[in-house]
Amino acid sequence: MEAQADRLRAIIKTQSEIAAAELDSGQVMRLVAERAQDLTGASAVVIEVPDGDEMVYAVTTGDATPYLGIRLNRDSSLSGRVLDLDQVLHCSDTEVDPRMDRKASRRVNARSMIAVPLRHDGDAIGVLKVYSSTPNAFGPEEVETLQLLSESISAQMAHASLFELKEKESRTDALTRLLNRRAYEERLAVEAARSARYGHPLGLAIFDLDGFKGVNDNLGHPAGDEVLKAVAEAIDSSRLTDDAFRIGGDEFALLMPETKIDGAKIAARRVVKAIEAADLGEALVTARFGAASLSSGDALALHDAADRSLLAAKRRAPFRTRTLPRFAR
């Protein structure tokens, strides 16, 4: 009885903290995740948001920290099922539960979990998921705890505009719809930390457009905007990774987890070919790249190495247009 009373007091305290939180979406998300981890004894907590046919890790704590921003197929994920059914789902062992995508679960080291729908005014705004690397880590008490919290969590997060478009727009380039510089810096730091933690390689390619200034000068800025959108579409359609960014005026980046330098160069060459094959109208624009890879966890060092590689490529051939032979390195 005493343990149950302590648990209820902790839940009430958490509800009060959530209600009193400043209406800053980042603070609310972080508070919710941290308290859910404390109350359930989970090794990791994730707040996922739906984005088309995918579920995106919007907030992560504990063992899930390195996986911020990853995307899982909504149809095959427990979180997607939670939203569709609008009910709490509990998985005792991801290795034997037919509802689970075992490959995705192994990717984030999740063996047991509870997923709770977060809804407000009838709208699905996300899923709160706690998980553990061991099977059978949660019981009825943890399920009840999250159920008791879910209504206040949902209301406050909606009130804080957690999943409003402006939150997404703050990390999206308005012209190309690729992720922007802010998102790049955040994602690079997360992936670098993950690389250091697990000793896995992390590849990066930075691209610069040749001839783009001439487009703006000779054809006008509207034509330049169309070129940038076409280039972004070519990069995005390559489907090499979800981590494609516009990080400057005519500068783009491709972040490639689990990729060594040779693989990063191969991927970058494919992107260059896609850009050169794109319909850019009258614009004689091509691209070149600099690539790097590391497993030290130093995000700044990785960016600087790729940037130096790009500068070296420019020095080797100061200017190229689409009329010249295909780019090769």
Side-chain angles (χ1 to χ4, degrees):
M1 292 294 292
E2 183 63 29
Q4 184 177 11
D6 288 343
R7 182 169 63 89
L8 288 174
R9 281 194 290 269
I11 292 171
I12 293 171
K13 180 181 178 181
T14 299
Q15 290 174 324
S16 298
E17 285 183 295
I18 293 169
E22 295 181 11
L23 296 183
D24 176 270
S25 59
Q27 291 179 1
V28 173
M29 284 192 289
R30 179 59 52 184
L31 175 62
V32 168
E34 290 176 350
R35 293 299 180 267
Q37 185 172 358
D38 292 341
L39 288 169
T40 62
S43 59
V45 175
V46 178
I47 295 177
E48 297 180 60
V49 296
D51 184 16
D53 59 358
E54 296 177 312
M55 299 296 295
V56 183
Y57 277 30
V59 173
T60 55
T61 68
D63 290 348
T65 299
Y67 306 112
L68 179 69
I70 71 166
R71 294 170 175 267
L72 302 176
N73 185 284
R74 176 169 174 165
D75 290 339
S76 60
S77 74
L78 190 71
S79 297
R81 188 182 294 266
V82 165
L83 287 184
D84 293 338
L85 298 176
D86 192 19
Q87 65 183 47
V88 177
L89 293 180
H90 177 202
C91 171
S92 296
D93 191 343
T94 59
E95 289 295 312
V96 298
D97 193 324
R99 301 172 300 177
M100 301 303 301
D101 181 338
R102 286 194 294 274
K103 183 178 179 180
S105 297
R106 290 169 182 167
R107 180 183 178 189
V108 298
N109 198 28
R111 190 67 187 272
S112 56
M113 63 179 68
I114 305 170
V116 183
L118 300 174
R119 289 184 172 271
H120 186 66
D121 291 338
D123 296 324
I125 58 173
V127 172
L128 173 66
K129 182 169 72 179
V130 302
Y131 72 78
S132 172
S133 58
T134 61
N136 303 303
F138 308 111
E141 287 189 353
E142 286 74 31
V143 173
E144 182 183 25
T145 295
L146 294 179
Q147 285 177 314
L148 290 172
L149 284 175
S150 63
E151 288 189 11
S152 59
I153 289 173
S154 298
Q156 183 67 0
M157 289 200 306
H159 190 42
S161 303
L162 176 61
F163 305 119
E164 283 185 0
L165 183 59
K166 66 180 182 180
E167 185 67 20
K168 182 178 179 180
E169 291 298 312
S170 69
R171 291 170 175 80
T172 303
D173 178 60
L175 177 65
T176 65
R177 309 312 299 168
L178 292 179
L179 295 171
N180 62 16
R181 181 77 186 214
R182 174 184 175 185
Y184 168 71
E185 292 174 350
E186 292 174 348
R187 187 67 182 161
L188 181 61
V190 168
E191 289 296 346
R194 183 185 179 202
S195 172
R197 180 174 183 177
Y198 296 104
H200 294 172
L202 175 61
L204 172 66
I206 298 177
F207 302 84
D208 187 75
L209 301 184
D210 278 347
F212 182 71
K213 184 177 184 300
V215 174
N216 282 335
D217 291 344
N218 300 318
L219 302 177
H221 286 279
D225 289 347
E226 292 303 313
V227 167
L228 291 174
K229 288 191 285 187
V231 167
E233 185 176 349
I235 294 173
D236 195 44
S237 65
S238 68
R239 303 302 296 171
L240 291 167
T241 176
D242 287 324
D243 294 327
F245 309 83
R246 182 188 179 199
I247 60 175
D250 63 340
E251 195 172 27
F252 299 83
L254 199 64
L255 191 59
M256 295 167 276
E258 310 290 341
T259 305
K260 295 181 180 179
I261 183 62
D262 289 344
K265 288 181 178 180
I266 291 171
R269 292 188 188 107
R270 287 173 56 189
V271 169
V272 169
K273 288 181 179 179
I275 293 172
E276 293 186 339
D279 182 5
L280 303 183
E282 299 178 44
L284 300 178
V285 171
T286 53
R288 71 183 73 211
F289 71 88
S293 179
L294 56 72
S295 56
S296 68
D298 189 333
L300 182 59
L302 178 59
H303 177 87
D304 287 347
D307 198 44
R308 287 195 301 272
S309 177
L310 176 60
L311 290 174
K314 290 180 178 180
R315 292 191 188 102
R316 287 195 296 270
F319 183 74
R320 299 173 58 253
T321 72
R322 291 163 71 90
T323 60
L324 294 179
R326 293 290 187 186
F327 181 77
R329 288 188 58 184

